[in-house]
């Protein structure tokens, strides 16, 4: 795929053309990462929705309570893999690699989240997330008890469910828009920083 490929089938908004509040908020992310993630460029065509998305995303993904930040990314990569969402697998796989300092984990989790070898706690997180992502109506108290037995608190179980739900929406928006991952994501966390 070339750099001339569209960011989204519905077009996109460049950072300098975003409303001032979004320009500041997305600009801070771009400054930290070195680029503007395409998801923000695509969703900025509907500023009110981007604001709501960012608010919920940040409340869930930037919390220092409950799941670790790496565990939060594990949920995203596993469920996005199950949902066949290339954008979220690539983008959040990069973040997972960086947070875990493991250059292979994202590929292993995204390609087979049901069978990847994980710690007992990580397996419980991924299993619960996959159940919620693929068959939430079948969730039972026994499923929650299994997560608790692996050491998850009720607050962490809520984290798994809320993150899974947010990224189910995100995965579907990425499919709708044919959202293209930024090339920068592909190498993040794979090689030591020079």
């Amino acid at each position: 795929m070339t750099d001339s490929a569209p960011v989204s089938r519905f077009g996109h908004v460049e950072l300098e053309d975003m409303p001032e509040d979004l320009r500041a908020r997305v600009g801070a992310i771009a400054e930290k990462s070195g680029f503007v993630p395409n998801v923000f460029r695509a969703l900025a065509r509907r500023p009110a929705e981007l604001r709501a998305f960012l608010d919920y995303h940040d409340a869930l993904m930037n919390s220092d309570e409950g799941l670790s930040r790496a565990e939060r990314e594990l949920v995203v990569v596993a469920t996005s893999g199950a949902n066949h969402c290339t954008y979220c697998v690539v983008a959040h796989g990069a973040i997972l690699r960086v947070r875990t300092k493991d250059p292979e984990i994202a590929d292993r989790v995204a390609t087979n989240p049901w069978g990847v070898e994980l710690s007992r706690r990580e397996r419980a997180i991924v299993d619960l997330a996959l159940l919620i992502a693929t068959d939430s109506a079948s969730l039972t108290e026994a499923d929650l008890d299994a997560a608790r037995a692996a050491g998850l608190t009720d607050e962490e179980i809520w984290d798994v469910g809320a993150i899974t739900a947010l990224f189910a929406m995100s995965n579907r928006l990425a499919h709708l828009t044919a959202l293209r991952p930024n090339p920068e994501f592909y190498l993040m966390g794979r090689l030591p920083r020079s």
Side-chain angles (χ1 to χ4, degrees), residues 37-54:
N38 284 343
V39 65
F40 305 132
R41 295 169 70 206
L43 295 182
R45 67 186 302 276
R46 297 180 73 153
E49 292 174 30
L50 176 55
R51 288 180 188 100
F53 176 84
L54 284 168

Side-chain angles (χ1 to χ4, degrees), residues 81-112:
N83 288 326
H84 310 287
C85 180
T86 301
Y87 184 88
C88 292
V89 164
V90 172
H92 289 274
I95 300 167
L96 178 61
R97 288 190 301 271
V98 168
R99 294 226 163 119
T100 61
K101 296 177 179 32
D102 180 344
E104 299 176 7
I105 189 168
D107 295 326
R108 288 185 285 128
V109 170
T111 56
N112 186 2

Side-chain angles (χ1 to χ4, degrees), residues 1-2 5-13 18 36-45 50 53 80 84-92 167 169-183 185-186:
M1 193 164 291
T2 66
V7 168
S8 159
R9 67 169 46 114
F10 294 97
H12 67 277
V13 178
M18 292 180 192
V36 178
N38 284 343
V39 65
F40 305 132
R41 295 169 70 206
L43 295 182
R45 67 186 302 276
L50 176 55
F53 176 84
S80 296
H84 310 287
C85 180
T86 301
Y87 184 88
C88 292
V89 164
V90 172
H92 289 274
F167 280 90
M169 179 196 77
S170 186
N171 296 162
R172 281 144 185 85
L173 280 172
H175 289 143
L176 171 70
T177 61
L179 190 58
R180 181 174 59 97
N182 301 71
F185 282 129
Y186 288 95

Side-chain angles (χ1 to χ4, degrees), residues 115-131:
V116 64
E117 187 175 325
L118 298 166
S119 71
R120 180 172 184 238
R121 178 180 169 85
E122 291 168 335
R123 181 80 264 155
I125 290 168
V126 168
D127 286 347
L128 180 60
L130 290 170
L131 177 61

Side-chain angles (χ1 to χ4, degrees), residues 3-74:
D3 286 339
S4 64
V7 168
S8 159
R9 67 169 46 114
F10 294 97
H12 67 277
V13 178
E14 294 297 346
L15 181 62
E16 60 269 14
D17 298 324
M18 292 180 192
E20 185 176 342
D21 65 312
L22 289 174
R23 191 168 52 246
R25 194 164 180 184
V26 173
I29 296 165
E31 188 172 317
K32 184 176 180 181
S33 65
F35 61 97
V36 178
N38 284 343
V39 65
F40 305 132
R41 295 169 70 206
L43 295 182
R45 67 186 302 276
R46 297 180 73 153
E49 292 174 30
L50 176 55
R51 288 180 188 100
F53 176 84
L54 284 168
D55 286 346
Y56 198 42
H57 174 279
D58 291 354
L60 292 176
M61 300 305 289
N62 296 339
S63 177
D64 290 321
E65 298 177 15
L67 297 178
S68 73
R69 291 192 182 196
E71 289 170 336
R72 291 167 192 277
E73 296 298 337
L74 181 66

